[in-house]
Amino acid sequence: MLVSMKDILKHANENNYAVMACNSVNMEMARAVITAAAEKHSPIIINLGVGQMAKLAHPTEMVPLIKELAESVDIPVALNLDHGMKYEDEIAAMQRGFTSVMIDCSSLPYEENVARVNNICTLAHAKGICVEGELGHVGQADVGDNEELDLYTNVAQARDYVDRTGIDCLAVAIGTAHGDYPKGMIPKLDFQRLAELKAELKMPLVLHGGSGAGAENIKKAVAGGINKINVCTDAFHAAEEAMKVAWAENPKTSYLEIMMIAEKAIKKFVSDYIDIIGSANRYGYGDVISDSKE
Ligand code: 13P
């Protein structure tokens, strides 16, 4: 069922686990992500990025499809605008039925970030829509932004930011970045900062750049208070690798077959990721919660 991301993250925050938010750029990907989560009895979040929607994942087609898929399964599914920044993009997402919007003003001056995000919170909350903000800046892995300490989230400023914007969850910069890290590199995360942020804010925290961060880092981040993990690049890679193998084995593999192979690979990737972050069997609704107090 399609639900507010606020409900999903509230339960995750209260019960110390994280929910995967996987970008899904076409029908096969959305279906792979949602069916993997359904089989694991895990809540799931579908991210649609602004750039991705402009290029391929046209919201006019993807939003009805995701709503349909969400209503066909017995797990909570949220639909989140990923890295919206412009006012028009936020309004369009709210009108289309997204149950959450991220407004990423993290590269703007602080006061402008606060003002713009507060404005979106007022509009979104009136419609029961969840809002994710970002403070500090989660940059790009290929240029080493993950090691730029100046971009990390400042704890005192985060307190002020949350109070003044009214956001429901906060994306924090603690050492991950988007995309592929240089070959062989696993980022070093600032778990001390995460602990301080969680102790101060006590709210759902979001980790962007969930690809290539390493299972141990991810598990530790969840234990330290991360409740939503954004993943995109590694889901693409799972499909790409499977397609390459299939074509290497049989160059005549058809379009129909290759799309099925890609979907299966993404489904397995999501299923494995759910195991790492521990969201299986945690519907978050009533009697179906089995192990949240363990
Ligand atoms: P990755 O592509 O590094 O997994 O990051 C995804 C993300 O954070 C989307 O907001």
Side-chain angles (χ1 to χ4, degrees), residues 175-248:
T176 56
H178 297 98
D180 289 317
Y181 296 97
K183 206 170 165 37
M185 185 196 149
I186 304 263
K188 191 170 165 351
L189 305 197
D190 188 344
F191 292 109
Q192 178 59 32
R193 187 181 300 256
L194 174 61
E196 288 169 20
L197 284 162
K198 194 71 180 186
E200 177 60 42
L201 304 174
K202 299 180 178 63
M203 70 189 303
L205 299 180
V206 181
L207 189 72
H208 281 242
S211 297
E216 287 318 307
N217 271 339
I218 293 295
K219 282 183 186 164
K220 242 175 125 174
V222 175
I226 292 292
N227 304 113
K228 170 177 178 260
I229 303 189
N230 280 22
V231 186
C232 180
T233 304
D234 277 354
F236 287 164
H237 288 340
E240 291 154 7
E241 287 311 313
M243 291 160 102
K244 280 184 208 158
V245 168
W247 266 319

Side-chain angles (χ1 to χ4, degrees), residues 243 245-258 261:
M243 291 160 102
V245 168
W247 266 319
E249 279 171 5
N250 179 8
K252 289 196 169 144
T253 305
S254 71
Y255 180 74
L256 177 76
E257 284 161 343
I258 210 80
I261 286 165

Side-chain angles (χ1 to χ4, degrees), residues 1-59:
M1 65 216 105
L2 190 70
V3 302
S4 168
M5 194 169 91
K6 195 172 172 175
D7 295 343
I8 290 181
L9 294 186
K10 181 174 182 290
H11 188 266
N13 187 33
E14 285 169 357
N15 294 280
N16 308 316
Y17 66 95
V19 177
M20 186 180 190
C22 195
N23 292 67
S24 300
V25 298
N26 59 17
M27 177 183 77
E28 290 79 9
M29 202 166 177
R31 193 165 56 195
V33 174
I34 291 174
T35 54
E39 284 176 17
K40 286 275 173 191
H41 297 173
S42 165
I44 195 82
I45 298 158
I46 301 291
N47 272 343
L48 288 182
V50 172
Q52 294 165 341
M53 287 194 284
K55 284 184 193 156
L56 178 69
H58 305 153

Side-chain angles (χ1 to χ4, degrees), residues 2 34 62-73:
L2 190 70
I34 291 174
M62 287 300 287
V63 173
L65 173 83
I66 291 163
K67 284 185 186 168
E68 187 76 27
L69 287 168
E71 293 305 339
S72 73
V73 290

